[in-house]
Amino acid sequence: MFSSNIPISSEGGDNSFQNNVPDPVTSGTELPTFKFELEKSEGRVSYGSYGKEATVVQLPISKALAGVSMRMEPGVMRELHWHATAAEWAFVTEGSVRTTVIDPQGCSETNDFGPGDIWYFPRGHAHVIETLGDTPCHFILVFDNGYFSEFGTFSITDWLGHAPKELLAKNFGVPASTFESFPKNEVYFAKGKIPPAVPSVPLQGWKAPPLTHKYSLLSQKPYEIFNGGIEWRVDGSQFPISTTMTGVVLEMEPGALRELHWHPNASEWQYVLSGNFNVTLFGSKGRWRQETLSKGDVGYIPQGFGHSIENVGQDEARILIVFNNGHYQTIDLSQWIAGNPLDVLATNFSQEAAVFDKFPRKDVFITK
């Protein structure tokens, strides 16, 4: 199963396997943990706002994707910054958020987001994130590089605070004294007034980019409804600017199973929005591992590794899944079996052909 409206050659995916050198983290006799309790970590706290991250430092298996849980108080902004080595994909869980992003052509876009909305900023594009209204906001950031640290971004206060005032004066055509009271170090979280309800006009005026950075995922009709769950999905075919990442939200009934499957072209980063899930990981050579993920926990599946996701709680539960490829692909176990003749299956498993008459004739995806 895949999205067919975007070229196979889209950017993204972890191609490190092509060097044919085994990854020491995943090539041992036992599979390592693929779980990290993100919301229980300390992170960086300021003004009651925080950023908590999961990179290869916290979760060594997670080499292709990193993530951040960020909460911001009213009047707080994540200051003007850019990421040199990763694109940013975000999902809003609570409150209201405003972003302004500028691209290499000098186009800028300001958007407002609510729960269920997403944004995507290509690698290196400058942006700022603001809390809207008088209540806090919370969102999940995912980066297409597991080695990327949110705390190693390029922030404007850090840059201007260390550049000579004479250089800045020449750059902007203003007196050097202008910068006397500017911050001397990185601010990271800046605190000020609550932003206006209507976005202010940029200094250069409005100059919209050709592609929007916003997509309202949960406002859309579900991608598919199954016996046991619902899938919302967005890749580059629906959200063209998102060339390196795909996002999925699964809502699963108690006892529902996202069947055993793998992704040929991407690794998978998981964040539990609600409930409890058992996630399994298969790594060949008899290696098998299971982890239980609860609300606020992160899971990670390396590209091509077999896995499943099961709601083991008593209520409906949701899990956010992000892939490091703008083109979604999956091969599900039911689909694989259904794609083979009875005689092949009988020989492979040393069973009578009639055994497989009871198996599904098509992809199941979610079942219960």
Side-chain angles (χ1 to χ4, degrees), residues 345-361:
L345 298 171
T347 299
N348 193 107
F349 294 101
S350 299
Q351 300 292 318
E352 295 294 329
V355 170
F356 298 97
D357 278 332
K358 298 179 181 179
F359 277 59
R361 260 48 179 177

Side-chain angles (χ1 to χ4, degrees), residues 50 68-72 78 137-139 141 150 188-189:
Y50 66 72
V68 170
S69 169
M70 188 166 288
R71 180 185 188 274
M72 300 198 308
R78 175 68 180 90
C137 65
H138 179 257
F139 46 90
L141 304 172
E150 166 66 12
Y188 192 80
F189 285 131

Side-chain angles (χ1 to χ4, degrees), residues 89-91 93 118 140-142 217 247-250 268-274 277 299 318-322:
W89 190 101
F91 179 86
T93 65
I118 67 171
I140 302 300
L141 304 172
V142 188
L217 178 58
V248 167
V249 172
L250 294 181
E268 174 176 323
W269 192 91
Q270 307 163 341
Y271 177 88
V272 178
L273 297 168
S274 64
F277 294 90
R318 283 186 175 183
I319 186 167
L320 172 68
I321 301 171
V322 182

Side-chain angles (χ1 to χ4, degrees), residues 19 22 33 39 54 68 74 101 131 133-134 147 170 182 198 201 205 210 218 227 251 255 321-322 345 359 365:
N19 61 19
T33 183
E39 297 298 350
V68 170
V101 57
T131 307
D134 56 3
Y147 293 85
K170 185 174 184 179
F182 275 46
V198 178
V201 180
L218 295 190
N227 175 30
E251 180 177 279
I321 301 171
V322 182
L345 298 171
F359 277 59
F365 199 85

